[in-house]
């Protein structure tokens, strides 16, 4: 039987970085400081500098990063937050955890990202914020969103969980708004060996507030200024992520090369391939293709030991867990149609050319 090809794998990368990673682990463990030490401060500095913002606040994951970002922007009870139904569940669960109500707009049929022309009609007198999601490694068209936010006095918190290093008009995704939130879940473009997240902001007050909120509401130990949470990154993960950040551009370039290769081989395959808008630098967290016979194709690939993934098969507004939001099937036709057609091809920096070729050949023979 053919070797298994997965949509994502990290073991080869770890093999290459093993000595450096092990040294870092040893250094942190013997430093005598495991929580809130130099490694986290350093990583907060490095990522905020890399994206181009003043402050970075490390937290336990990106779901809580978005929840805390909304709280820090004073968004909660009775407020509405506009986002998309084609996203990871955590985007929406974070909005609800902050106490607010998610309001959806459909996606653009070309990029599969927020259709910015629909934002205006979703605004009510309760709307307080927009959470654009830079899905798959590409940036949402930010200029129209920034203009609408200004006009209606709305906050923006960018969901950058999939877009570390992506650019919009030459500036990094995550540098355009009040807050931006990052995930370092293992599969992400900047991924660790466990869970972690970060919020970036340019606002000193928001930074202070977020540092309190992630630390039981305390500015100094044992005294809570306000109700807070426990949401932090341990030194071990911070040190590893700080190291991984130095490899991010190189790894994103590898992803882009793999994407270019897919584009070439699959150009006449009958698959709808990803588009890279002129304003974007896509970092291909996922290489997402579409075909009306998606389920048959995935079944056939499985028989060949090629195990792919769909991001995402269920639009959020159709999930039982979110039925209380009051949406119904048919409300977001572009998202609904795509959820039946899209799937992701293997994509990670150390994906071999050989595996890539095999996937493409099998795909072409299945589609016929
Ligand atoms: C992964 C992801 C999140 C959540 O990140 P966690 O660190 O797992 O909480 C949020 N939004 C999007 C778009 C994601 O892909």
């Amino acid at each position: 039987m053919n070797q298994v090809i997965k949509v994502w794998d990290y073991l080869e990368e770890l093999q290459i970085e093993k000595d450096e990673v092990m040294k870092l682990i040893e250094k942190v463990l013997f430093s005598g400081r495991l929580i809130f030490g130099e490694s986290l401060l350093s990583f907060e500095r490095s990522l905020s500098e890399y994206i181009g913002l003043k402050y970075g606040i490390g937290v336990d994951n990106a779901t809580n990063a978005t929840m805390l970002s909304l709280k820090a922007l004073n968004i909660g009870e009775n407020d509405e937050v506009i986002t998309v139904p084609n996203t990871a569940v955590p985007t929406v669960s974070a909005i609800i955890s902050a106490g607010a109500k998610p309001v959806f707009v459909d996606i653009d049929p070309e990029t599969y990202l927020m259709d910015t022309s629909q934002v205006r009609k979703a605004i009510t007198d309760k709307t307080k914020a927009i959470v654009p999601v830079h899905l798959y490694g590409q940036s949402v068209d930010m200029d129209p969103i920034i203009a609408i936010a200004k006009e209606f006095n709305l906050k923006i918190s960018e969901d950058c969980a999939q877009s570390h290093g992506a650019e919009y008009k030459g500036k990094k995704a995550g540098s355009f708004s009040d807050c931006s939130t990052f995930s370092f879940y293992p599969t992400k473009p900047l991924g660790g060996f466990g869970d972690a997240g970060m919020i970036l902001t340019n606002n000193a007050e928001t930074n202070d507030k977020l540092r309190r909120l992630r630390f039981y509401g305390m500015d100094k130990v044992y005294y809570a200024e306000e109700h807070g949470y426990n949401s932090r990154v341990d030194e071990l993960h911070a040190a590893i992520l700080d190291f991984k950040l130095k490899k991010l551009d190189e790894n994103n370039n590898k992803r882009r090369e793999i994407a270019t290769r897919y584009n070439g081989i699959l150009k006449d395959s009958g698959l709808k391939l990803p588009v890279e808008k002129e304003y974007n630098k896509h970092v291909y967290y996922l290489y997402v293709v579409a075909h009306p016979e998606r389920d048959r194709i995935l079944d056939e690939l499985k028989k060949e030991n090629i195990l792919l993934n769909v991001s995402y098969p269920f639009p959020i507004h159709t999930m039982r867990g979110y039925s209380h939001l009051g949406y119904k099937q048919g409300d977001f036709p572009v998202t609904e149609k795509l959820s039946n057609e899209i799937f992701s091809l293997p994509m990670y920096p150390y994906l071999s050319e050989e595996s890539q070729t095999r996937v493409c050949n099998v795909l072409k023979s299945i589609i016929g």
Side-chain angles (χ1 to χ4, degrees):
M1 193 60 183
N2 279 319
Q3 200 196 329
V4 175
I5 299 180
K6 293 188 280 188
V7 74
W8 176 79
D9 201 358
Y10 71 96
L11 289 173
E12 195 163 332
E13 191 170 338
L14 178 59
Q15 199 59 47
I16 291 165
E17 295 171 352
K18 191 175 94 191
D19 292 346
E20 288 163 288
V21 170
M22 292 304 169
K23 252 187 230 146
L24 277 176
I25 292 176
E26 198 170 337
K27 188 172 159 208
V28 171
L29 292 188
F30 281 101
S31 73
R33 177 113 200 189
L34 300 173
I35 301 279
F36 284 151
E38 273 309 311
S39 302
L40 179 57
L41 285 172
S42 168
F43 179 46
E44 288 175 339
R45 240 178 349 252
S46 324
L47 188 71
S48 52
E49 264 169 33
Y50 175 82
I51 300 294
L53 292 176
K54 280 197 195 128
Y55 308 101
I57 304 96
V59 294
D60 54 351
N61 57 60
T63 315
N64 285 338
T66 297
M67 185 270 283
L68 294 172
S69 77
L70 294 174
K71 289 213 169 256
L73 298 170
N74 294 314
I75 289 154
E77 230 45 53
N78 296 318
D79 296 336
E80 292 181 357
V81 175
I82 295 175
T83 191
V84 284
N86 180 40
T87 183
V89 165
T91 310
V92 176
S93 102
I95 294 169
I96 293 177
S97 294
K101 181 183 172 204
V103 171
F104 296 126
V105 299
D106 211 349
I107 54 171
D108 178 274
E110 223 187 338
T111 61
Y112 312 161
L113 304 179
M114 180 178 276
D115 179 349
T116 57
S117 71
Q118 299 198 29
V119 173
R120 197 172 280 273
K121 71 171 192 232
I123 293 174
T124 71
D125 53 9
K126 290 184 172 173
T127 309
K128 289 286 156 54
I130 305 173
V131 175
V133 185
H134 303 308
L135 213 60
Y136 307 146
Q138 55 185 341
S139 169
V140 175
D141 186 9
M142 287 304 292
D143 281 346
I145 292 181
I146 292 165
I148 291 171
K150 212 170 195 173
E151 183 182 339
F152 292 91
N153 196 23
L154 309 177
K155 304 287 189 189
I156 306 176
S157 180
E158 289 166 74
D159 183 335
C160 303
Q162 303 191 359
S163 65
H164 320 63
E167 290 177 12
Y168 175 72
K169 299 188 175 172
K171 281 179 68 191
K172 292 274 184 324
S175 64
F176 295 95
S177 46
D178 301 281
C179 285
S180 52
T181 57
F182 292 80
S183 172
F184 312 115
Y185 181 79
T187 64
K188 310 285 165 142
L190 177 56
F193 300 112
D195 276 312
M198 197 178 289
I199 307 153
L200 300 183
T201 182
N202 257 340
N203 184 296
E205 249 175 78
T206 307
N207 174 48
D208 290 343
K209 174 122 183 151
L210 283 166
R211 283 175 187 281
R212 272 198 299 280
L213 286 179
R214 74 166 178 190
F215 183 50
Y216 318 114
M218 304 194 299
D219 279 326
K220 49 182 194 291
V221 281
Y222 305 138
Y223 186 89
E225 281 297 332
E226 61 180 305
H227 171 66
Y229 303 82
N230 173 15
S231 176
R232 57 199 175 206
V233 185
D234 59 73
E235 286 292 282
L236 211 49
H237 278 100
I240 290 167
L241 289 163
D242 207 11
F243 161 75
K244 287 261 183 192
L245 176 57
K246 297 187 183 80
K247 315 250 172 174
L248 178 62
D249 284 340
E250 186 191 323
N251 281 345
N252 281 346
N253 284 335
K254 288 195 168 77
R255 290 173 182 274
R256 287 175 59 79
E257 279 163 24
I258 292 167
T260 304
R261 205 153 171 269
Y262 275 136
N263 289 343
I265 306 177
L266 297 174
K267 133 166 106 354
D268 301 313
S269 63
L271 288 170
K272 184 165 175 249
L273 303 183
V275 290
E276 181 166 359
K277 299 295 257 184
E278 70 290 347
Y279 54 68
N280 251 335
K281 182 177 176 194
H282 199 323
V283 296
Y284 294 97
Y285 168 58
L286 299 177
Y287 187 92
V288 177
V289 297
H291 193 282
E293 293 175 76
R294 190 263 318 274
D295 292 340
R296 176 183 75 85
I297 295 172
L298 290 189
D299 282 347
E300 304 265 336
L301 285 165
K302 208 168 173 183
K303 288 183 204 152
E304 298 290 328
N305 260 347
I306 298 169
L307 310 179
L308 301 189
N309 204 12
V310 177
S311 298
Y312 294 95
F314 309 109
I316 307 236
H317 68 285
T318 65
M319 294 182 188
R320 196 176 309 120
Y322 293 109
S323 58
H324 63 283
L325 296 175
Y327 292 106
K328 58 184 188 312
Q329 192 82 33
D331 282 347
F332 304 103
V334 182
T335 297
E336 289 166 27
K337 179 167 184 287
L338 277 165
S339 69
N340 293 316
E341 297 183 350
I342 50 177
F343 59 107
S344 312
L345 302 190
M347 175 56 86
Y348 48 93
Y350 290 84
L351 176 68
S352 71
E353 213 169 292
E354 193 191 336
S355 298
Q356 214 192 342
T357 307
R358 197 179 123 219
V359 170
C360 292
N361 288 342
V362 176
L363 257 176
K364 285 206 242 178
S365 72
I366 292 172
I367 296 168

